[in-house]
């Protein structure tokens, strides 16, 4: 596991701390009770790029599940590996509830 962490968290000193975004909705919507989840994966030329690509895919899937938006979001960085010299692959998961009218 340590080689994966080293490959994925070798980071650029200029990288900012990761802060997940939260979806916002108008006052007319309520947060539903059903829990949903998505997973995205992606690659990039840095660990941050791979996670960004994976996160976008997970959020696109979440938007398809919850067209009104999502709430109670828990985003998690999963596995990240170096797949080629200077190319990384990562997994990103989300758990959330959907806003309902």
């Amino acid at each position: 596991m340590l080689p994966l962490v080293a490959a994925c968290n070798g980071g650029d000193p200029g990288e900012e701390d990761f802060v997940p975004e939260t979806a916002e909705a108008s006052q007319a919507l309520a947060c539903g009770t059903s829990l949903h989840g998505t997973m995205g994966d992606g690659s990039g030329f840095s660990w941050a790029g791979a996670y960004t690509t994976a996160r976008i895919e997970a959020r696109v899937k979440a938007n398809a599940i919850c067209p009104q938006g999502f709430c109670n979001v828990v985003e998690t960085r999963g596995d990240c590996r170096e797949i080629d010299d200077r190319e990384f692959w990562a997994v990103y998961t989300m758990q959330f509830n959907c806003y309902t009218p």
Side-chain angles (χ1 to χ4, degrees):
M1 179 91 173
L2 290 178
L4 297 178
V5 172
C8 298
N9 294 324
D12 177 358
E15 285 287 324
E16 295 182 23
D17 290 337
F18 172 75
V19 178
E21 294 177 14
T22 56
E24 296 181 15
S26 72
Q27 294 177 1
L29 301 176
C31 190
T33 58
S34 296
L35 184 62
H36 303 278
T38 61
M39 181 186 86
D41 71 328
S43 61
F45 294 108
S46 68
W47 64 271
Y51 277 124
T52 297
T53 303
R55 182 173 186 253
I56 289 169
E57 182 176 304
R59 291 180 71 83
V60 165
K61 291 177 181 179
N63 285 325
I65 294 169
C66 301
Q68 301 292 326
F70 37 88
C71 48
N72 296 332
V73 180
V74 176
E75 299 184 44
T76 306
R77 289 179 174 184
D79 193 16
C80 181
R81 298 179 185 173
E82 188 169 7
I83 55 176
D84 278 327
D85 186 35
R86 302 279 306 147
E87 185 174 3
F88 299 86
W89 171 85
V91 173
Y92 199 92
T93 60
M94 292 178 60
Q95 289 186 324
F96 51 90
N97 301 88
C98 295
Y99 279 116
T100 57

